[in-house]
Amino acid sequence: MEAAQPAPTAGSLSWRLSSHPITLLTFLGFRISSVLVYFLGLWIIKSMIMIFIITILLLAADFYYLKNIAGRRLVGLRWWNEVDPSSGDSKWVFESSEPGTKVINPTDSRFFWLALYVQPVLWLVMAILALVRVQLLWLPLVIIALVLTIMNTLAFSRCDKFSQASNLAGSAFGTTNLAGSIASNMMGRFFSRN
């Protein structure tokens, strides 16, 4: 007789609880495939050029998909970099969904942040292995992977902090109008004394 398995709870690492399972699985597929192609390719394929090309293509697809699709759908965050044509100054732009319009699924959020922080660690391990095994030809590929994954990780971390600060400011000035009521009470007291 089969024992009944308990249903997974909200926020657990089960892709079946995702609000966007196709986006989540595609995101995880890109994240895992670049590391697997590199790691397994070292021992199985033995063709440096083929591994290099496939890994770079997977890293580029992962970077684009994470930045423009998965971040927005899974956690409501997006970032990009703008360059001012007149001065040449570069600035980061962060976008987050409105607090009331998008409900972030805890499962999607856990998968997103876990995969976002784990992949740079895996590439750092690969860099250490390349140095220890004196495989300096593989180091440029690992450095490219580290740059792309760390850039996305830092950008989404900043975007999340920006989003939390915006939500806090929005709640103070927006729906509850806490700041407005404090200011009007202070001004009312000031003018009523005169």
Side-chain angles (χ1 to χ4, degrees):
M1 187 167 242
E2 238 179 80
Q5 293 181 346
T9 60
S12 65
L13 291 176
S14 173
W15 68 270
R16 291 187 172 113
L17 295 176
S18 173
S19 297
H20 308 284
I22 294 173
T23 303
L24 179 64
L25 292 175
T26 306
F27 163 66
L28 293 174
F30 281 134
R31 293 251 105 176
I32 294 168
S33 62
S34 60
V35 175
L36 280 179
V37 165
Y38 172 79
F39 189 72
L40 295 177
L42 290 175
W43 288 280
I44 296 172
I45 297 175
K46 303 284 189 197
S47 171
M48 181 181 173
I49 296 170
M50 183 65 74
I51 295 169
F52 197 93
I53 291 170
I54 293 172
T55 304
I56 289 291
L57 289 174
L58 288 170
L59 285 167
D62 173 53
F63 186 84
Y64 176 83
Y65 192 79
L66 171 61
K67 185 170 125 12
N68 294 306
I69 299 168
R72 183 183 293 168
R73 294 198 73 196
L74 297 177
V75 291
L77 300 173
R78 187 173 161 228
W79 68 272
W80 65 92
N81 194 341
E82 287 183 354
V83 177
D84 184 13
S86 60
S87 66
D89 292 337
S90 174
K91 71 174 187 173
W92 292 56
V93 180
F94 303 114
E95 178 183 273
S96 63
S97 59
E98 293 295 324
T101 60
K102 180 165 177 80
V103 176
I104 305 299
N105 183 328
T107 299
D108 290 339
S109 180
R110 285 193 66 201
F111 268 117
F112 180 83
W113 293 110
L114 186 64
L116 191 70
Y117 288 115
V118 165
Q119 191 175 24
V121 172
L122 291 175
W123 282 111
L124 186 62
V125 168
M126 298 297 179
I128 292 169
L129 285 175
L131 288 172
V132 168
R133 295 181 65 198
V134 193
Q135 294 178 331
L136 300 181
L137 288 175
W138 291 103
L139 213 48
L141 176 61
V142 175
I143 289 171
I144 291 169
L146 274 170
V147 167
L148 290 175
T149 57
I150 288 173
M151 182 182 291
N152 251 339
T153 303
L154 290 176
F156 273 107
S157 296
R158 286 184 182 175
C159 192
D160 186 45
K161 288 178 184 169
F162 172 77
S163 168
Q164 290 173 3
S166 295
N167 291 344
L168 182 62
S171 67
F173 291 112
T175 57
T176 60
N177 205 4
L178 178 64
S181 65
I182 291 172
S184 64
N185 285 339
M186 288 176 61
M187 293 307 280
R189 288 183 191 164
F190 178 74
F191 286 114
S192 66
R193 290 183 186 170
N194 292 338

